[in-house]
Amino acid sequence: MLKSKKNPIYFIAEVGSNHEGNFKEAIRIVKNCIKSKADCVKIQIFNPQNLVSKKYDFERYNHFNKLQLSVDEYFKIAEICKKSDKDFSASIWDKNLIHPFKKYVKFYKVGSGDLTNYEIIYEIIKTKKPIVLSVGLSNFNEIRKVLNFIKNIDISYTRKNKISLLHCNTSYPTPLKDSRLFFINHLKRIFKVQVGYSDHTVGIKTILNSYNFGAKIIEKHYSLNPKKKSFRDHLISCTNQNINDFFSEIKFKNLKISKNTKAKSFKKTISKSEKRQNNLYSFRRSLYLSRDIKKGEKLNSFNLISLRPQEGICASKYFLFKGKKISKNLTSGTLLNKSHILK
């Protein structure tokens, strides 16, 4: 369970990749963010080769390739945050980088796109660090399954309250009507864990409303210039002044937490804006081969990988297919399907 040392709500400033692949700019943004009232500075750490299939979505692969920093540069950012009074966290989209950053992160953040990426979640569980899961694009059954997956591997995650859920809409930007903040209360009632809100709307109106709905954690993208048009994440970002305004509104207007849990339906589905942007396809992952493999060979952690886009077998099936034998010779980068498995 995350708790702020000085604020009524735990605030995560998501620097993400607003540096656009420029290390000097990354340092400038992070140092400025440290001066804010946020509790935590968070970045995204990834290697495009272990994130997106170059064959099936070259445009997205190239997009992340331009945003990537080197591993050494990610470590330098983590060191700067560690020396400050802020917590540090990251969405790490590469299982090989989970453990190297263990000593730096307060918790690991799993984005909505990786809620079904059991390969990475398993590596996070082994660190025993708290996990914050965004649940955009998901239904209640998928949330229940991943919580059971975590609990079955390490019961301490539930016994010691080391799991938090963030209600989220993955649209960039999210229309206000699609924010559906009533799900904050539903998630608390159904899953009995700490619940917050990860925001992709423009401005701070929605995060103020999320506090009214009982969010205990706020995650909001952070930028030095939200009007910058070179990268879409700037538009949905906050500044130091926005964060100050947020806490001032809470303190001086005495916002009250709503007890209203009424909704048209308890069914959790993806929003219209997420459907329009085809986010299930581009954010979620499927099973691919990371190496050439011969007929009769078994799938293992060296030749099986979870990548975007979600084109075939869902990444949540990773451990079901691991150990299965292959029916024919296949090349690296192949999208796995059931016909590739020996019966």
Side-chain angles (χ1 to χ4, degrees):
M1 182 177 291
L2 299 180
K3 191 172 182 180
S4 174
K5 297 174 183 177
K6 54 187 178 182
N7 297 319
I9 189 169
Y10 191 89
F11 198 107
I12 302 168
E14 164 71 299
V15 171
S17 295
N18 273 341
H19 49 73
E20 300 182 54
N22 184 319
F23 178 59
K24 288 184 179 179
E25 181 68 1
I27 296 299
R28 195 165 77 95
I29 297 172
V30 166
K31 286 184 175 180
N32 200 69
C33 188
I34 286 170
K35 298 174 185 177
S36 76
K37 290 185 178 180
D39 298 283
C40 176
V41 178
K42 179 179 164 290
I43 63 172
Q44 296 164 349
I45 297 173
F46 55 88
N47 176 347
Q49 292 183 338
N50 294 333
L51 175 60
V52 183
S53 167
K54 191 174 183 179
K55 178 180 179 181
Y56 284 88
D57 198 343
F58 179 76
E59 185 178 345
R60 291 291 286 171
Y61 173 88
N62 195 43
H63 164 80
F64 285 109
N65 200 42
K66 291 177 181 177
L67 298 176
Q68 181 187 21
L69 298 176
S70 71
V71 174
D72 284 344
E73 287 170 341
Y74 288 131
F75 275 123
K76 287 175 183 176
I77 291 171
E79 286 284 358
I80 290 170
C81 293
K82 189 176 182 181
K83 291 176 182 177
S84 75
D85 63 343
K86 303 295 184 189
D87 293 336
F88 173 73
S89 184
S91 294
I92 302 180
W93 298 334
D94 183 340
K95 71 174 183 179
N96 300 316
L97 297 176
I98 297 294
H99 292 274
F101 284 89
K102 177 183 175 181
K103 71 175 184 178
Y104 296 101
V105 298
K106 172 83 171 180
F107 59 91
Y108 287 93
K109 170 68 195 304
V110 176
S112 298
D114 278 338
L115 188 75
T116 55
N117 187 353
Y118 289 12
E119 180 185 12
I120 274 182
I121 293 172
Y122 177 72
E123 293 301 322
I124 293 173
I125 294 168
K126 291 196 291 186
T127 70
K128 298 189 177 295
K129 290 270 187 170
I131 302 173
V132 176
L133 298 159
S134 275
V135 296
L137 300 173
S138 68
N139 55 50
F140 289 138
N141 189 45
E142 287 176 322
I143 299 170
R144 190 172 288 109
K145 282 183 177 179
V146 72
L147 291 178
N148 286 336
F149 175 77
I150 295 169
K151 180 179 69 174
N152 289 338
I153 293 172
D154 188 343
I155 192 65
S156 74
Y157 273 92
T158 51
R159 288 180 176 170
K160 295 183 179 180
N161 299 315
K162 294 197 295 181
I163 303 174
S164 302
L165 301 179
L166 300 186
H167 169 58
C168 178
N169 183 299
T170 62
S171 298
Y172 285 68
T174 298
L176 293 179
K177 64 181 180 180
D178 277 354
S179 58
R180 302 191 291 184
L181 298 177
F182 55 80
F183 275 119
I184 293 171
N185 277 317
H186 292 332
L187 290 168
K188 283 196 291 186
R189 180 180 56 81
I190 295 169
F191 298 109
K192 314 297 182 187
V193 296
Q194 184 183 49
V195 176
Y197 174 59
S198 180
D199 182 57
H200 296 126
T201 65
V202 178
I204 66 169
K205 180 178 180 180
T206 309
I207 59 174
L208 282 167
N209 286 335
S210 73
Y211 178 79
N212 291 356
F213 277 88
K216 300 298 183 185
I217 303 168
I218 295 290
E219 181 184 42
K220 178 78 174 170
H221 282 260
Y222 180 90
S223 172
L224 297 181
N225 182 11
K227 294 182 179 180
K228 195 174 181 181
K229 296 181 179 180
S230 54
F231 181 43
R232 70 176 186 180
D233 288 17
H234 291 293
L235 177 65
I236 59 170
S237 297
C238 64
T239 62
N240 286 9
Q241 186 59 54
N242 294 144
I243 298 172
N244 290 343
D245 292 344
F246 170 77
F247 285 115
S248 294
E249 288 279 330
I250 289 175
K251 182 177 180 180
F252 295 114
K253 291 196 175 182
N254 193 27
L255 295 176
K256 294 181 180 179
I257 295 175
S258 170
K259 300 298 182 183
N260 180 22
T261 59
K262 293 181 181 179
K264 293 180 180 179
S265 172
F266 284 96
K267 187 177 180 181
K268 187 178 185 302
T269 58
I270 66 172
S271 67
K272 290 181 180 179
S273 57
E274 289 172 310
K275 287 180 181 178
R276 282 196 303 270
Q277 295 182 12
N278 201 18
N279 288 352
L280 267 177
Y281 172 83
S282 59
F283 283 31
R284 288 277 181 92
R285 305 201 199 197
S286 288
L287 300 181
Y288 295 78
L289 294 181
S290 56
R291 295 183 181 182
D292 294 345
I293 189 169
K294 294 182 180 180
K295 179 180 178 179
E297 281 189 56
K298 289 184 178 181
L299 293 171
N300 56 48
S301 58
F302 299 104
N303 56 37
L304 185 63
I305 190 170
S306 304
L307 297 175
R308 301 179 185 183
Q310 183 173 277
E311 184 76 42
I313 298 168
C314 180
S316 64
K317 308 292 184 183
Y318 178 86
F319 289 100
L320 291 178
F321 281 83
K322 191 177 176 183
K324 301 286 187 183
K325 290 185 178 180
I326 291 298
S327 62
K328 60 181 180 180
N329 294 348
L330 295 169
T331 58
S332 177
T334 296
L335 176 68
L336 195 69
N337 64 56
K338 292 181 180 179
S339 70
H340 294 150
I341 306 301
L342 273 176
K343 295 181 180 179

